[in-house]
Amino acid sequence: MTSKTPATVYGYPRQGQDRELKRAVEGYWKGRVGADALRETARDLRRTNWQQLADTGITELPTGDFSYYDHVLDTSVMVGAIPARHRAAVDADALDGYFAMARGTQEVAPLEMTKWFDTNYHYLVPELGPDTVFTADSSRQVAEFEEARTLGHRARPVLVGPVTYLLLAKPAPEVAAGFDPLALLDRLLPVYARVLADLRAAGAEWVQLDEPALVQDRTPAELNAAARAYRVLGGAADRPKLLVASYFDRLGEALPVLAKAPVDGLALDFTGAAAANLDALAAVGGLPGKRLVAGVVDGRNIWINDLEKSLGTLGTLLGLAGSVDVAASCSLLHVPLDASAERDVDPQVRRWLAFARQKTAEVATLARGLARGTDAITAELAANRADLASRANSSLAHDPAVRARTAAVTDADGRRSQPYARRAAAQRARLGLPLLPTTTIGSFPQTGELRTARADLRAGRTDTAGYEDRIRAEIREVLAFQEKAGLDVLVHGEPERADMVQYFAEQLTGYLATQHGWVQSYGTRYVRPPVLAGDVSRPDPMTVRWTTYAQSQTAKPVKGMLTGPVTMLAWSFVRDDQPLADTARQVALALRDEVDDLEAAGTPVIQVDEPALRETLPLRGADRAAYLDWATEAFRLTTGGVRPDTQIHTHMCYAEFGDIVGAIGDLDADVISLEAARSHMQVADELSGAGYPREVGPGVWDIHSPRIPSVDEAAALLHRGLGAIAAERLWVNPDCGLKTRAWPETRSSLENLVEAARRVRGEVGAGGA
Ligand code: GLN
Ligand code: ZN
C-alpha cells in the first residue's frame, strides 16, 4: 500500500512567461546576445520552471526536456549522429554547429523538419545511413541533471528512447533508397547504455526513455526491435532504473512487449483513445512489483481535468502495479504556460482552462488524493465539480440555435446539386478560362509595412478606417501585379490575415483568443492557437467585403479564400466535451454561411483550404476511416450548397497525400491544388492512379525556398503533370501561399510560371489536344 503517491511530469514549456528563450536565442543568432548570456537565460528558465513544479507539489522533476531548439536534435547530438555536412560547423563551435543543423547556413542545408506525431510541434529529422557511427555525449544530460540536484530537486532525466529515435529517422540524402534506420539499433544501444551509465554515476536513480513511436501501428520486426532494445538496456550493468514512457495513443500490441521487458517501470497514457491502455494492462496481468506512471491529466488539451474520474482510474491502477505515480499524459510542451495570465478571458471561462501550471497542480492534487484519501482534497474536488458544472451548463457551450441547425443536417446538404461533369461544363462556360489556367494559393507577401499597419491599429496609432485604406491599397497592388503577370484566376492576397485560423476564429462565436497562450511550433517559432470553447456560429460575413472589393477592381475572376473546418479544428485547442465530428459540423455550417454569401455576392470561384487534413489523420490505422468520414463530410457541408457554376477549390500542403487519395476524392471539390514541386509531381501520379476525376493543380514552385524556378523548370514539371493528368484538367500554381516570400522572388517566380503555362499550352495545342 502506498503511503505517499509521487507526482511527476515529463516536460514543461521551455519558453518562459514572456518568451524569454525566443528573445535570447534569436538575439544570439543576430549577434546581439553572447553565448554565455544565452546559457544564463536558459539556466534561469530551467530554475524557474523547476521551482514552479516543486512548489506545486511535483515530487520528481524532469531534466533534459529543455532545449534551445528541439529535443530530437539534442538526441542526435547526444548519440553523435551529426551529418557529414554539419561536421565542420559542430567541430568549430558546438552551439553554432547545433544551430547550423537546425537552420542551415549559407553553405549547408539544415536537417529536415517534420511534425512530432499528431501535434503541431516540429522536430528535426535524424539523418542516418549505413556508415553512421554513434558516439555517446552525455554532457548536456548530466549537466542538467546535476543542475537540478544542486538546486535541491529530486530529478529524473528524460530521453527520447532508442527505438523511437530510429523510427523517426530517415535515410540521409546520399544514402541509397531502401535503407532502414532501424537496422542501426545494435549500434545505437551501447551508446544509450553509456549515457545511462553516466547518468547513474551522476546520481540519477531513474531515467525515462520516451517511446511514443510504439503507439503507432508497428510491424512484428519493429516490435521485436523494441523487445531487443529493452532486453539489452535492461540487462546492462551500472544502469539506473528505467522508466519507458509512451503517449499520444494506446500502446496496443506494444504493451505486452514493454510489460515483459526487464525494465523497472512504464509510463502510460490513460486519456482519450489511450484509455484503452487500462484494460490492456489488466489483460497482461498488470506490472507486478513495477512502477506505473499514470498519465491521467491530458497533456495536449487546455481543459481542466475531471478529478473524480481520474481518481477512479487511479484507484483501479493501484491494483495493477507495484506503485503508481500520477502524471500528465505527455510532456506539457504542447500547452501554454499559465492560464491565470489570461486576464482578457472571461473569469467564468478561465476557470475551465488548465495550461501547464494548472495541469501540474491537478497532478499534485490527484497524487495527494490518492495517497491520503479524498478527504485530503475536499476543497479541490468541490471547486473542480463547480468548474465542470459551470462549463457543462454554460450558454457559450450550448447555443440552442446552433444545436437545432446541426441536428437538422441531412446528407443532401453535403451534396452538390449536380454531378461533376455537369458542373464542370457550367463552370467552363461561366469562367472562360484557357487550357492550363494559372492561379495562386491565396496569400501574397506579408510585407513589413502590413505588419506595421496592424501593429499601428492595435496600438491605436491608426484607426480602423486608416487601416482598411491600407488593406485596400495592398489589394489593388496585388491585383495589378497579377493582371500584368497574366494570371487567370486572381486572388486578393489575404493582406488582412496575419494568421488565417486566428483571423476566422476572431470572427466566429464560440472561439476565444489568448494573450499569452504561446506554444512552441518549431525552434523559436511559437503560435497562439485559439481556443474553440463553445458552439460555433458566424454572426456576420467575414471575408465578403474584401473579396468583392477585389472583384470590383478587375474583369478577371477573383477567387474567394476560406480556411476549411478540419484546419480550423486542427490548429486550435478544441473542446473535449463532445465528439470532434460534432464540432466540425458546427464549424462547417458557419463556414457554409460564408461560402453562400460569397456566392451571392457574385464570387465565381471559392477556395476552402484544408492544409491540415492529412496531418490530423489518427496515429492508428484503425481510427482513420472514421476520421476521414467526418472530415470529408465537414468539407462537403461547407461547400455543398453552391450552384453548379460556382467553382469550389481546395488546397492541401505539408504532407504526402498517397494514403488519403480516397478522401481527396470524397471532398468533391471541383479543383484541388497540392504541394508537389519537391516531390516532382508525384501526387499527380497518385491521384491519376486512383482514378481521380476532377481538376488538379500540383504545385510547380516550391515556395518554402527562396529559389526562383526558371521557365524551363516549371514547364518540365508541367509536362510531368501532363503525363498523369489530361491537359483539360491540369492547373498551374505554386505549392502554397506566398505570405512568407518576399516580393522580388514572388514577381519573378509567378512571371516564369505564367510563361511556362503559355509555352506548354502552345505545345499541347500543337499536338492537337
Ligand atoms: N490560402 C492560404 C495561403 O495562401 C493557404 C495557407 C496554407 O495552405 N497553409 O496562405
Ligand atoms: Zn498550403
Side-chain angles (χ1 to χ4, degrees):
M1 183 75 216
T2 18
S3 60
K4 190 167 186 318
T5 304
T8 192
V9 295
Y10 318 157
Y12 208 58
R14 298 161 179 159
Q15 70 271 19
Q17 185 61 54
D18 298 311
R19 284 183 298 157
E20 294 89 336
L21 184 62
K22 175 186 174 72
R23 260 180 290 126
V25 172
E26 289 179 351
Y28 177 76
W29 293 343
K30 294 196 179 112
R32 284 201 303 259
V33 173
D36 287 339
L38 173 59
R39 290 197 186 95
E40 185 58 37
T41 301
R43 229 182 343 260
D44 282 346
L45 288 168
R46 288 193 294 266
R47 190 186 318 125
T48 309
N49 284 349
W50 289 331
Q51 197 54 51
Q52 215 166 79
L53 289 168
D55 290 347
T56 321
I58 294 299
T59 52
E60 193 177 276
L61 308 170
T63 63
D65 63 306
F66 177 84
S67 180
Y68 286 115
Y69 202 96
D70 161 46
H71 58 276
V72 181
L73 175 59
D74 298 344
T75 312
S76 290
V77 172
M78 182 183 88
V79 301
I82 316 287
R85 67 179 184 283
H86 298 126
R87 188 37 85 187
V90 171
D91 286 346
D93 180 280
L95 189 58
D96 291 342
Y98 174 85
F99 288 131
M101 288 170 76
R103 310 169 66 221
T105 63
Q106 217 44 262
E107 294 80 37
V108 292
L111 291 171
E112 195 183 302
M113 191 165 70
T114 195
K115 292 204 180 212
W116 175 246
F117 300 92
D118 57 350
T119 74
N120 279 323
Y121 176 85
H122 300 69
Y123 69 94
L124 291 158
V125 182
E127 280 178 19
L128 307 175
D131 302 330
T132 300
V133 176
F134 295 113
T135 50
D137 174 2
S138 59
S139 53
R140 211 184 60 94
Q141 285 293 337
V142 168
E144 272 178 36
F145 173 75
E146 288 178 338
E147 197 178 296
R149 234 194 16 179
T150 308
L151 291 165
H153 299 301
R154 180 186 171 81
R156 180 183 75 251
V158 177
L159 310 177
V160 175
V163 182
T164 291
Y165 179 76
L166 293 175
L167 288 172
L168 293 182
K170 52 174 271 186
E174 68 276 7
V175 168
F179 171 74
D180 178 4
L182 201 55
L184 300 176
L185 183 65
D186 292 323
R187 239 185 266 172
L188 182 61
L189 291 175
V191 171
Y192 265 81
R194 175 79 255 151
V195 172
L196 291 170
D198 290 349
L199 286 166
R200 174 84 201 110
E205 186 189 352
W206 285 86
V207 172
Q208 174 173 331
L209 294 159
D210 283 3
E211 295 288 5
L214 297 181
V215 307
Q216 293 172 299
D217 298 326
R218 289 297 164 203
T219 63
E222 289 165 342
L223 293 171
N224 280 338
R228 194 163 77 253
Y230 288 98
R231 202 162 52 236
V232 170
L233 295 179
D238 310 323
R239 69 166 175 87
K241 290 181 185 158
L242 299 181
L243 176 71
V244 181
S246 70
Y247 37 80
F248 298 150
D249 211 323
R250 54 199 185 271
L251 266 176
E253 55 290 350
L255 181 61
V257 174
L258 292 182
K260 274 197 287 256
V263 296
D264 309 275
L266 297 187
L268 301 180
D269 186 343
F270 292 101
T271 65
N277 277 331
L278 202 151
D279 287 343
L281 188 62
V284 298
L287 300 172
K290 292 190 180 180
R291 179 181 185 185
L292 172 64
V293 176
V296 290
V297 170
D298 195 318
R300 296 274 299 268
N301 74 22
I302 43 75
W303 304 106
I304 52 170
N305 188 259
D306 182 336
L307 296 181
E308 271 166 27
K309 194 168 153 239
S310 295
L311 281 172
T313 305
L314 290 165
T316 311
L317 292 173
L318 274 183
L320 286 173
S323 71
V324 173
D325 286 39
V326 183
S329 62
C330 60
S331 168
L332 296 173
L333 180 66
H334 308 293
V335 293
L337 193 53
D338 185 1
S340 72
E342 298 303 330
R343 293 283 140 209
D344 291 353
V345 173
D346 176 352
Q348 158 88 9
V349 175
R350 205 166 57 220
R351 294 163 56 198
W352 312 343
L353 301 181
F355 294 179
R357 274 189 94 152
Q358 288 73 31
K359 285 181 186 288
T360 308
E362 291 176 339
V363 167
T365 300
L366 288 167
R368 254 185 305 131
L370 197 62
R372 298 192 223 139
T374 48
D375 285 355
I377 55 167
T378 326
E380 286 90 342
L381 286 176
N384 180 245
R385 250 192 313 269
D387 293 347
L388 291 170
S390 127
R391 187 175 169 209
N393 303 324
S394 89
S395 56
L396 177 68
H398 305 276
D399 178 336
V402 173
R403 300 270 149 172
R405 194 172 172 207
T406 41
V409 166
T410 65
D411 280 354
D413 295 327
R415 233 179 355 248
R416 299 284 296 270
S417 62
Q418 288 190 6
Y420 172 67
R422 306 265 296 277
R423 287 171 1 225
Q427 292 159 19
R428 211 166 294 133
R430 180 176 181 189
L431 293 168
L433 296 172
L435 199 64
L436 306 178
T438 54
T439 192
T440 60
I441 307 306
S443 59
F444 267 73
Q446 284 270 340
T447 55
E449 243 175 282
L450 276 174
R451 277 192 289 270
T452 309
R454 246 191 298 282
D456 285 348
L457 178 68
R458 267 197 308 273
R461 288 185 295 265
T462 340
D463 57 5
T464 309
Y467 172 71
E468 294 188 346
D469 281 345
R470 182 71 203 79
I471 296 292
R472 273 187 289 269
E474 185 71 24
I475 291 175
R476 287 194 301 275
E477 222 173 286
V478 166
L479 288 168
F481 165 74
Q482 295 173 84
E483 295 249 17
K484 191 163 143 275
L487 283 146
D488 300 308
V489 173
L490 311 194
V491 296
H492 78 291
E494 304 178 28
E496 77 286 11
R497 306 175 197 178
D499 174 277
M500 62 190 197
V501 172
Q502 203 173 329
Y503 179 78
F504 289 103
E506 272 168 15
Q507 302 184 71
L508 291 168
T509 307
Y511 271 99
L512 313 171
T514 69
Q515 291 294 306
H516 309 281
W518 298 105
V519 178
Q520 188 177 10
S521 169
Y522 64 88
T524 59
R525 192 178 148 74
Y526 291 82
V527 294
R528 247 180 332 179
V531 177
L532 202 175
D535 282 352
V536 177
S537 57
R538 186 208 65 154
D540 296 299
M542 304 183 284
T543 64
V544 177
R545 62 202 189 101
W546 299 122
T547 308
T548 49
Y549 176 73
Q551 188 65 81
S552 75
Q553 304 292 306
T554 175
K556 292 208 169 159
V558 171
K559 179 160 73 163
M561 302 297 318
L562 302 174
T563 301
V566 180
T567 302
M568 286 300 296
L569 261 56
W571 294 349
S572 306
F573 285 115
V574 181
R575 62 192 296 183
D576 62 347
D577 57 351
Q578 64 183 19
L580 281 175
D582 296 2
T583 309
R585 193 171 298 140
Q586 292 183 0
V587 175
L589 287 172
L591 292 169
R592 179 186 178 100
D593 292 343
E594 187 72 12
V595 168
D596 293 352
D597 282 350
L598 280 168
E599 176 181 71
T603 311
V605 181
I606 300 169
Q607 177 170 311
V608 177
D609 293 324
E610 285 290 20
L613 189 95
R614 169 64 183 75
E615 72 184 42
T616 316
L617 203 60
L619 295 176
R620 288 274 179 189
D623 302 333
R624 292 187 177 168
Y627 159 74
L628 289 172
D629 263 0
W630 67 251
T632 53
E633 187 216 90
F635 184 90
R636 284 197 310 271
L637 197 50
T638 303
T639 54
V642 298
R643 301 192 319 239
D645 67 346
T646 296
Q647 189 169 67
I648 295 292
H649 287 218
T650 189
H651 164 72
M652 290 180 201
C653 52
Y654 304 129
E656 279 146 29
F657 307 102
D659 45 1
I660 58 161
V661 284
I664 290 178
D666 289 344
L667 299 178
D668 199 22
D670 299 303
V671 182
I672 180 166
S673 62
L674 294 146
E675 177 176 321
R678 247 181 230 198
S679 59
H680 311 288
M681 314 294 268
Q682 183 189 326
V683 63
D685 301 326
E686 286 163 352
L687 284 174
S688 82
Y692 187 78
R694 295 177 288 277
E695 299 178 28
V696 189
V700 293
W701 165 23
D702 170 13
I703 63 92
H704 295 108
S705 143
R707 257 190 85 250
I708 297 167
S710 67
V711 177
D712 286 346
E713 194 180 325
L717 285 174
L718 285 177
H719 278 295
R720 283 230 41 197
L722 283 171
I725 306 215
E728 295 68 34
R729 296 197 292 112
L730 190 66
W731 284 65
V732 183
N733 47 259
D735 266 354
C736 190
L738 309 175
K739 67 193 274 191
T740 58
R741 296 270 58 95
W743 264 108
E745 74 227 31
T746 297
R747 274 192 207 99
S748 309
S749 299
L750 287 177
E751 283 160 8
N752 289 355
L753 182 147
V754 170
E755 187 49 39
R758 286 191 180 132
R759 187 195 289 174
V760 177
R761 254 173 227 156
E763 290 160 4
V764 173

mmCIF file of all heavy atoms in Angstrom, residues 440-444 493-494 497 500 561-563 567 571 607 609-611 651-654 735-739, ligand 1:
data_model
loop_
_atom_site.group_PDB
_atom_site.id
_atom_site.type_symbol
_atom_site.label_atom_id
_atom_site.label_comp_id
_atom_site.label_asym_id
_atom_site.label_seq_id
_atom_site.Cartn_x
_atom_site.Cartn_y
_atom_site.Cartn_z
ATOM 1 N N THR A 440 -2.917 31.342 -57.982
ATOM 2 C CA THR A 440 -2.057 31.218 -56.803
ATOM 3 C C THR A 440 -2.899 30.649 -55.668
ATOM 4 O O THR A 440 -4.109 30.459 -55.810
ATOM 5 C CB THR A 440 -1.491 32.583 -56.366
ATOM 6 O OG1 THR A 440 -2.591 33.433 -56.057
ATOM 7 C CG2 THR A 440 -0.635 33.194 -57.459
ATOM 8 N N ILE A 441 -2.275 30.394 -54.533
ATOM 9 C CA ILE A 441 -2.973 29.684 -53.454
ATOM 10 C C ILE A 441 -3.689 30.663 -52.524
ATOM 11 O O ILE A 441 -4.483 30.263 -51.683
ATOM 12 C CB ILE A 441 -1.978 28.773 -52.694
ATOM 13 C CG1 ILE A 441 -1.238 27.874 -53.669
ATOM 14 C CG2 ILE A 441 -2.675 27.928 -51.647
ATOM 15 C CD1 ILE A 441 -2.124 27.044 -54.586
ATOM 16 N N GLY A 442 -3.419 31.931 -52.640
ATOM 17 C CA GLY A 442 -4.203 32.894 -51.859
ATOM 18 C C GLY A 442 -3.408 34.059 -51.317
ATOM 19 O O GLY A 442 -3.651 35.200 -51.659
ATOM 20 N N SER A 443 -2.427 33.766 -50.443
ATOM 21 C CA SER A 443 -1.732 34.887 -49.818
ATOM 22 C C SER A 443 -0.607 35.397 -50.715
ATOM 23 O O SER A 443 0.001 34.642 -51.471
ATOM 24 C CB SER A 443 -1.184 34.481 -48.452
ATOM 25 O OG SER A 443 -0.308 33.402 -48.572
ATOM 26 N N PHE A 444 -0.349 36.685 -50.602
ATOM 27 C CA PHE A 444 0.811 37.330 -51.217
ATOM 28 C C PHE A 444 1.725 37.798 -50.093
ATOM 29 O O PHE A 444 1.364 37.718 -48.924
ATOM 30 C CB PHE A 444 0.345 38.463 -52.145
ATOM 31 C CG PHE A 444 0.181 37.981 -53.565
ATOM 32 C CD1 PHE A 444 -0.885 37.159 -53.904
ATOM 33 C CD2 PHE A 444 1.123 38.284 -54.544
ATOM 34 C CE1 PHE A 444 -1.017 36.653 -55.197
ATOM 35 C CE2 PHE A 444 1.000 37.791 -55.832
ATOM 36 C CZ PHE A 444 -0.070 36.972 -56.169
ATOM 37 N N GLY A 493 -5.129 38.383 -52.063
ATOM 38 C CA GLY A 493 -3.807 38.352 -51.427
ATOM 39 C C GLY A 493 -3.810 38.181 -49.918
ATOM 40 O O GLY A 493 -2.747 38.068 -49.321
ATOM 41 N N GLU A 494 -4.987 38.159 -49.302
ATOM 42 C CA GLU A 494 -5.112 37.932 -47.852
ATOM 43 C C GLU A 494 -4.295 38.897 -46.977
ATOM 44 O O GLU A 494 -3.791 38.498 -45.923
ATOM 45 C CB GLU A 494 -4.758 36.470 -47.500
ATOM 46 C CG GLU A 494 -5.590 35.443 -48.274
ATOM 47 C CD GLU A 494 -5.218 33.982 -47.983
ATOM 48 O OE1 GLU A 494 -4.737 33.686 -46.879
ATOM 49 O OE2 GLU A 494 -5.426 33.141 -48.876
ATOM 50 N N ARG A 497 -5.103 39.147 -43.141
ATOM 51 C CA ARG A 497 -4.952 37.995 -42.247
ATOM 52 C C ARG A 497 -3.502 37.834 -41.812
ATOM 53 O O ARG A 497 -2.644 37.580 -42.653
ATOM 54 C CB ARG A 497 -5.383 36.701 -42.949
ATOM 55 C CG ARG A 497 -6.775 36.799 -43.509
ATOM 56 C CD ARG A 497 -7.184 35.568 -44.311
ATOM 57 N NE ARG A 497 -8.356 35.943 -45.130
ATOM 58 C CZ ARG A 497 -8.960 35.146 -45.984
ATOM 59 N NH1 ARG A 497 -8.521 33.913 -46.155
ATOM 60 N NH2 ARG A 497 -9.990 35.576 -46.683
ATOM 61 N N MET A 500 -4.300 32.799 -40.537
ATOM 62 C CA MET A 500 -5.644 32.595 -41.095
ATOM 63 C C MET A 500 -6.622 31.991 -40.084
ATOM 64 O O MET A 500 -7.771 32.412 -40.009
ATOM 65 C CB MET A 500 -5.572 31.783 -42.385
ATOM 66 C CG MET A 500 -5.020 30.392 -42.246
ATOM 67 S SD MET A 500 -4.735 29.657 -43.881
ATOM 68 C CE MET A 500 -4.615 27.932 -43.416
ATOM 69 N N MET A 561 -11.389 33.204 -50.540
ATOM 70 C CA MET A 561 -10.463 32.340 -49.817
ATOM 71 C C MET A 561 -10.939 32.095 -48.393
ATOM 72 O O MET A 561 -11.080 33.030 -47.620
ATOM 73 C CB MET A 561 -9.100 33.026 -49.700
ATOM 74 C CG MET A 561 -8.456 33.402 -51.004
ATOM 75 S SD MET A 561 -8.062 32.000 -52.044
ATOM 76 C CE MET A 561 -7.448 30.932 -50.823
ATOM 77 N N LEU A 562 -11.161 30.821 -48.062
ATOM 78 C CA LEU A 562 -11.584 30.470 -46.702
ATOM 79 C C LEU A 562 -10.715 29.342 -46.161
ATOM 80 O O LEU A 562 -10.145 28.570 -46.927
ATOM 81 C CB LEU A 562 -13.046 30.002 -46.706
ATOM 82 C CG LEU A 562 -14.080 30.985 -47.245
ATOM 83 C CD1 LEU A 562 -15.442 30.312 -47.304
ATOM 84 C CD2 LEU A 562 -14.131 32.226 -46.366
ATOM 85 N N THR A 563 -10.654 29.250 -44.839
ATOM 86 C CA THR A 563 -9.961 28.138 -44.200
ATOM 87 C C THR A 563 -11.003 27.092 -43.826
ATOM 88 O O THR A 563 -12.036 27.426 -43.253
ATOM 89 C CB THR A 563 -9.213 28.645 -42.950
ATOM 90 O OG1 THR A 563 -8.296 29.635 -43.387
ATOM 91 C CG2 THR A 563 -8.469 27.528 -42.255
ATOM 92 N N THR A 567 -9.116 22.187 -40.717
ATOM 93 C CA THR A 567 -7.961 23.001 -40.346
ATOM 94 C C THR A 567 -8.319 23.957 -39.206
ATOM 95 O O THR A 567 -7.494 24.210 -38.322
ATOM 96 C CB THR A 567 -7.458 23.756 -41.583
ATOM 97 O OG1 THR A 567 -7.131 22.779 -42.578
ATOM 98 C CG2 THR A 567 -6.233 24.596 -41.273
ATOM 99 N N TRP A 571 -5.782 23.425 -35.871
ATOM 100 C CA TRP A 571 -4.847 24.452 -35.410
ATOM 101 C C TRP A 571 -5.430 25.288 -34.280
ATOM 102 O O TRP A 571 -5.055 26.439 -34.068
ATOM 103 C CB TRP A 571 -4.367 25.299 -36.603
ATOM 104 C CG TRP A 571 -3.543 24.468 -37.554
ATOM 105 C CD1 TRP A 571 -3.067 23.205 -37.333
ATOM 106 C CD2 TRP A 571 -3.107 24.817 -38.875
ATOM 107 N NE1 TRP A 571 -2.369 22.744 -38.425
ATOM 108 C CE2 TRP A 571 -2.374 23.726 -39.393
ATOM 109 C CE3 TRP A 571 -3.264 25.954 -39.684
ATOM 110 C CZ2 TRP A 571 -1.801 23.722 -40.655
ATOM 111 C CZ3 TRP A 571 -2.680 25.956 -40.956
ATOM 112 C CH2 TRP A 571 -1.957 24.859 -41.428
ATOM 113 N N GLN A 607 -12.269 29.084 -52.758
ATOM 114 C CA GLN A 607 -11.321 28.068 -52.308
ATOM 115 C C GLN A 607 -11.462 27.866 -50.807
ATOM 116 O O GLN A 607 -11.467 28.823 -50.037
ATOM 117 C CB GLN A 607 -9.898 28.514 -52.649
ATOM 118 C CG GLN A 607 -8.822 27.546 -52.161
ATOM 119 C CD GLN A 607 -7.467 27.894 -52.735
ATOM 120 O OE1 GLN A 607 -7.330 28.106 -53.941
ATOM 121 N NE2 GLN A 607 -6.446 27.968 -51.899
ATOM 122 N N ASP A 609 -9.454 26.059 -47.964
ATOM 123 C CA ASP A 609 -8.162 25.411 -47.703
ATOM 124 C C ASP A 609 -8.284 24.345 -46.628
ATOM 125 O O ASP A 609 -8.889 24.588 -45.585
ATOM 126 C CB ASP A 609 -7.152 26.453 -47.187
ATOM 127 C CG ASP A 609 -6.788 27.472 -48.249
ATOM 128 O OD1 ASP A 609 -6.700 27.091 -49.424
ATOM 129 O OD2 ASP A 609 -6.581 28.647 -47.883
ATOM 130 N N GLU A 610 -7.675 23.206 -46.853
ATOM 131 C CA GLU A 610 -7.572 22.183 -45.807
ATOM 132 C C GLU A 610 -6.139 21.664 -45.670
ATOM 133 O O GLU A 610 -5.880 20.467 -45.775
ATOM 134 C CB GLU A 610 -8.541 21.018 -46.069
ATOM 135 C CG GLU A 610 -10.009 21.326 -45.778
ATOM 136 C CD GLU A 610 -10.336 21.496 -44.286
ATOM 137 O OE1 GLU A 610 -9.430 21.751 -43.466
ATOM 138 O OE2 GLU A 610 -11.531 21.375 -43.957
ATOM 139 N N PRO A 611 -5.181 22.568 -45.404
ATOM 140 C CA PRO A 611 -3.795 22.104 -45.300
ATOM 141 C C PRO A 611 -3.595 21.092 -44.181
ATOM 142 O O PRO A 611 -2.653 20.309 -44.228
ATOM 143 C CB PRO A 611 -3.003 23.389 -45.020
ATOM 144 C CG PRO A 611 -4.004 24.375 -44.521
ATOM 145 C CD PRO A 611 -5.292 24.021 -45.199
ATOM 146 N N HIS A 651 -7.247 23.250 -51.156
ATOM 147 C CA HIS A 651 -5.781 23.259 -51.203
ATOM 148 C C HIS A 651 -5.246 22.473 -50.020
ATOM 149 O O HIS A 651 -5.761 22.574 -48.906
ATOM 150 C CB HIS A 651 -5.262 24.701 -51.153
ATOM 151 C CG HIS A 651 -3.810 24.778 -50.816
ATOM 152 N ND1 HIS A 651 -2.828 24.403 -51.705
ATOM 153 C CD2 HIS A 651 -3.159 25.147 -49.693
ATOM 154 C CE1 HIS A 651 -1.644 24.535 -51.121
ATOM 155 N NE2 HIS A 651 -1.815 24.983 -49.913
ATOM 156 N N MET A 652 -4.191 21.693 -50.270
ATOM 157 C CA MET A 652 -3.522 20.948 -49.188
ATOM 158 C C MET A 652 -2.023 21.021 -49.357
ATOM 159 O O MET A 652 -1.520 21.126 -50.478
ATOM 160 C CB MET A 652 -3.929 19.478 -49.227
ATOM 161 C CG MET A 652 -5.352 19.256 -48.825
ATOM 162 S SD MET A 652 -5.731 17.511 -48.914
ATOM 163 C CE MET A 652 -7.498 17.643 -49.021
ATOM 164 N N CYS A 653 -1.333 20.946 -48.241
ATOM 165 C CA CYS A 653 0.131 21.017 -48.311
ATOM 166 C C CYS A 653 0.739 20.339 -47.094
ATOM 167 O O CYS A 653 0.027 19.717 -46.325
ATOM 168 C CB CYS A 653 0.576 22.465 -48.398
ATOM 169 S SG CYS A 653 -0.124 23.502 -47.120
ATOM 170 N N TYR A 654 2.044 20.472 -46.942
ATOM 171 C CA TYR A 654 2.792 19.939 -45.786
ATOM 172 C C TYR A 654 2.710 18.443 -45.633
ATOM 173 O O TYR A 654 2.766 17.947 -44.511
ATOM 174 C CB TYR A 654 2.273 20.490 -44.444
ATOM 175 C CG TYR A 654 2.233 21.957 -44.279
ATOM 176 C CD1 TYR A 654 1.070 22.580 -43.835
ATOM 177 C CD2 TYR A 654 3.341 22.736 -44.546
ATOM 178 C CE1 TYR A 654 1.025 23.939 -43.654
ATOM 179 C CE2 TYR A 654 3.292 24.098 -44.368
ATOM 180 C CZ TYR A 654 2.127 24.688 -43.926
ATOM 181 O OH TYR A 654 2.069 26.022 -43.741
ATOM 182 N N ASP A 735 3.141 25.845 -54.928
ATOM 183 C CA ASP A 735 2.868 24.819 -53.920
ATOM 184 C C ASP A 735 1.937 25.287 -52.817
ATOM 185 O O ASP A 735 1.207 24.492 -52.237
ATOM 186 C CB ASP A 735 4.184 24.431 -53.229
ATOM 187 C CG ASP A 735 4.834 23.219 -53.864
ATOM 188 O OD1 ASP A 735 4.216 22.611 -54.747
ATOM 189 O OD2 ASP A 735 5.975 22.893 -53.467
ATOM 190 N N CYS A 736 2.039 26.566 -52.456
ATOM 191 C CA CYS A 736 1.303 27.040 -51.278
ATOM 192 C C CYS A 736 1.205 28.557 -51.350
ATOM 193 O O CYS A 736 1.604 29.168 -52.350
ATOM 194 C CB CYS A 736 2.036 26.584 -50.013
ATOM 195 S SG CYS A 736 1.102 26.842 -48.481
ATOM 196 N N GLY A 737 0.658 29.162 -50.293
ATOM 197 C CA GLY A 737 0.537 30.615 -50.229
ATOM 198 C C GLY A 737 1.909 31.284 -50.191
ATOM 199 O O GLY A 737 2.914 30.656 -49.885
ATOM 200 N N LEU A 738 1.905 32.584 -50.503
ATOM 201 C CA LEU A 738 3.180 33.293 -50.675
ATOM 202 C C LEU A 738 3.469 34.256 -49.535
ATOM 203 O O LEU A 738 4.341 35.109 -49.643
ATOM 204 C CB LEU A 738 3.136 34.055 -52.008
ATOM 205 C CG LEU A 738 2.709 33.187 -53.202
ATOM 206 C CD1 LEU A 738 2.565 34.038 -54.463
ATOM 207 C CD2 LEU A 738 3.721 32.077 -53.419
ATOM 208 N N LYS A 739 2.758 34.114 -48.414
ATOM 209 C CA LYS A 739 2.905 35.131 -47.373
ATOM 210 C C LYS A 739 4.304 35.195 -46.784
ATOM 211 O O LYS A 739 4.715 36.249 -46.312
ATOM 212 C CB LYS A 739 1.850 34.944 -46.266
ATOM 213 C CG LYS A 739 2.004 33.686 -45.454
ATOM 214 C CD LYS A 739 0.765 33.441 -44.615
ATOM 215 C CE LYS A 739 0.856 34.207 -43.290
ATOM 216 N NZ LYS A 739 -0.228 33.737 -42.389
HETATM 217 N N1 GLN B 1 -4.752 30.376 -48.599
HETATM 218 C C1 GLN B 1 -3.688 30.188 -47.672
HETATM 219 C C2 GLN B 1 -2.487 31.000 -48.112
HETATM 220 O O1 GLN B 1 -2.332 31.188 -49.281
HETATM 221 C C3 GLN B 1 -3.285 28.733 -47.553
HETATM 222 C C4 GLN B 1 -2.316 28.510 -46.454
HETATM 223 C C5 GLN B 1 -1.837 27.091 -46.304
HETATM 224 O O2 GLN B 1 -2.081 26.262 -47.106
HETATM 225 N N2 GLN B 1 -1.110 26.819 -45.277
HETATM 226 O O3 GLN B 1 -1.684 31.435 -47.306
#
